[in-house]
Amino acid sequence: GLGSEAQDERARFNWVGYRANVELRGRFWRQTQLELGAGYRYRRFGDDITDDDDRLTIPEALDQGLFSELPPGYEDGYSIFVQRARFTLDSRPSRPAPGTGIKGTAMYELAFDLRDGPAQQLWVRWGGSLAAYADVSGNQHVVGVQISASAVEALAGEVPFTELPQLSGNGPLRGFLGGYLRGESEFSVLVDYHWPVWVWLDATLHVAVGNVYDGRWDGFSLPNMRLSAGIGLAAVNQRDHFFEFLVGFGTETFEDGAELESVRVLFGGVREF
């Protein structure tokens, strides 16, 4: 499902996609940087899964009443051009200097359909975050607090479900599988702690609350948030190629009892090139 009331009703689907990106990245004071990019994204969805998989496809789940409608973009897929910008102000010096400092980000993304033009499908996505970090030992034992929010608004047509903001996966609520929490807007508060355990590895611990919402944070409240927590290992200062091991969990919303809803074990490789 989509939005804050998404339930653990799962259905299978397959997709085929392509993407190409061009990015310009400029580094300024300390770890402050500006990123400008443009790209092409293509994706088609289907329900052609193996015969020995007895889990429901999305159309079958819809027929059985588990979902009220198909996810936006599922039937026709999408072929879009995207332009984006991200500015990060980060006062923390590079390691091995102490990791105390503040970090703020602002991002913007505009996407439109290449088949029928912007009049048929056009959306804008925007958001940002603010974080503060304290190196309690002066030797990379760092406690951080981050508040983040983002939203997407369809100016024409609808936003495909795989292009909606999400909190799960590599997002702040990492105890949930990628794609589990998607909505038209999101908000989260993350508290994390990392400390060195080897020359190339940090141990990490996180606790976060937040959720995704319909519209511009419709139904936003503390009871309508979920909890995520986890512990793991991550490579030190690896922006593109990284190693990561994580054990995490996520819960239902607090108003639904915050019962355990997701357990995630991650053994990771490359995030991007």
Side-chain angles (χ1 to χ4, degrees):
L2 303 173
S4 62
E5 300 302 320
Q7 300 295 316
D8 192 15
E9 302 288 356
R10 304 192 184 193
R12 302 278 290 175
F13 67 94
N14 68 325
W15 61 269
V16 175
Y18 313 93
R19 61 186 298 167
N21 300 293
V22 177
E23 184 176 277
L24 176 65
R25 182 181 297 168
R27 189 82 172 267
F28 305 103
W29 173 69
R30 294 191 174 179
Q31 298 190 72
T32 297
Q33 64 181 11
L34 174 66
E35 301 167 69
L36 302 174
Y40 168 72
R41 299 177 192 167
Y42 167 92
R43 188 167 288 196
R44 288 290 181 273
F45 304 97
D47 53 9
D48 183 18
I49 61 176
T50 58
D51 293 336
D52 58 353
D53 192 331
D54 58 358
R55 286 173 287 185
L56 298 176
T57 64
I58 287 182
E60 290 171 342
L62 180 66
D63 291 340
Q64 294 190 17
L66 298 181
F67 305 137
S68 59
E69 58 184 355
L70 291 175
Y74 180 84
E75 287 187 286
D76 299 325
Y78 56 93
S79 177
I80 59 172
F81 174 79
V82 181
Q83 63 181 29
R84 61 188 180 279
R86 177 186 295 269
F87 178 70
T88 302
L89 175 63
D90 195 338
S91 71
R92 296 172 297 171
S94 299
R95 292 171 79 138
T100 297
I102 60 173
K103 177 182 178 181
T105 65
M107 63 81 64
Y108 157 86
E109 180 177 280
L110 178 70
F112 62 85
D113 186 82
L114 288 174
R115 297 168 300 186
D116 301 315
Q120 298 299 316
Q121 192 174 42
L122 173 69
W123 70 84
V124 61
R125 180 177 174 181
W126 51 272
S129 65
L130 182 63
Y133 302 92
D135 191 336
V136 296
S137 70
N139 192 28
Q140 304 304 319
H141 292 72
V142 179
V143 178
V145 179
Q146 173 185 283
I147 300 174
S148 62
S150 67
V152 64
E153 185 169 352
L155 305 179
E158 59 184 6
V159 183
F161 71 103
T162 50
E163 296 293 325
L164 294 172
Q166 72 158 328
L167 288 176
S168 48
N170 291 325
L173 272 64
R174 308 189 64 212
F176 293 92
L177 291 172
Y180 191 93
L181 298 177
R182 292 187 184 272
E184 295 174 323
S185 55
E186 56 87 3
F187 175 86
S188 68
V189 178
L190 167 70
V191 179
D192 64 359
Y193 175 53
H194 66 80
W195 66 98
V197 294
W198 192 35
V199 63
W200 291 306
L201 285 179
D202 278 353
T204 64
L205 177 69
H206 88 271
V207 178
V209 294
N211 210 344
V212 292
Y213 303 94
D214 298 327
R216 294 190 178 183
W217 300 279
D218 292 346
F220 173 83
S221 67
L222 179 59
N224 195 16
M225 291 187 183
R226 303 169 186 265
L227 174 70
S228 171
I231 188 169
L233 299 170
V236 173
N237 271 5
Q238 297 298 311
R239 176 177 299 153
D240 299 322
H241 301 265
F242 81 111
F243 164 80
E244 186 172 20
F245 173 72
L246 171 76
V247 178
F249 68 88
T251 74
E252 296 180 346
T253 61
F254 294 118
E255 62 186 359
D256 289 333
E259 295 183 2
L260 184 65
E261 189 172 34
S262 173
V263 176
R264 183 182 183 218
V265 178
L266 168 70
F267 190 84
V270 174
R271 177 177 294 141
E272 62 182 20
F273 293 95

